[in-house]
């Protein structure tokens, strides 16, 4: 599916770090994330961040609203970092 054709031309990768106590519920949080409108992919990670969330939004206001309402407002979320996607290319294995 082309997010731009669906009215969501702005894509971003949002890095999410959870609070230590919330790490026991990573699978549950991932399941909640994939059900949200605009979420294209959810990656559970090892390293500095717990998740990368690939989202598509209608505009910067919509992206801001998504991050605040669905990530920053969650008491288990310690930190978010939003990175805009300027171009996306698929690998040969896709």
């Amino acid at each position: 599916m082309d997010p731009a054709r669906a009215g969501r031309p702005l894509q971003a990768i949002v890095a999410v770090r959870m609070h230590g106590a919330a790490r026991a519920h990573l699978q549950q949080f991932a399941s909640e994330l994939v059900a949200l409108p605009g979420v294209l992919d959810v990656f559970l990670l090892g390293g500095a961040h717990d998740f990368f969330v690939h989202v598509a939004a209608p505009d910067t206001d919509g992206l801001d609203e998504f991050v605040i309402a669905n990530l920053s407002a969650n008491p288990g979320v310690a930190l978010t970092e939003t990175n805009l996607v300027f171009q996306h290319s698929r690998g040969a294995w896709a």
Side-chain angles (χ1 to χ4, degrees):
M1 177 176 96
D2 180 2
R5 287 187 178 170
R8 295 177 173 268
L10 181 66
Q11 292 185 49
I13 305 290
V14 184
V16 179
R17 185 176 309 145
M18 306 298 286
H19 287 292
R23 287 196 170 94
H25 307 286
L26 293 179
Q27 289 294 350
Q28 177 184 344
F29 187 63
S31 296
E32 293 168 5
L33 287 174
V34 297
L36 294 172
V39 173
L40 303 174
D41 298 289
V42 175
F43 301 93
L44 177 60
L45 308 170
H49 301 290
D50 295 303
F51 294 99
F52 281 163
V53 184
H54 181 195
V55 299
D59 52 31
T60 56
D61 288 338
L63 178 59
D64 182 55
E65 182 179 320
F66 175 87
V67 171
I68 291 170
N70 297 296
L71 302 174
S72 300
N74 186 307
V77 173
L79 173 94
T80 63
E81 293 178 3
T82 302
N83 301 278
L84 295 180
V85 174
F86 293 124
Q87 184 177 4
H88 177 216
S89 301
R90 295 207 181 270
W93 283 71

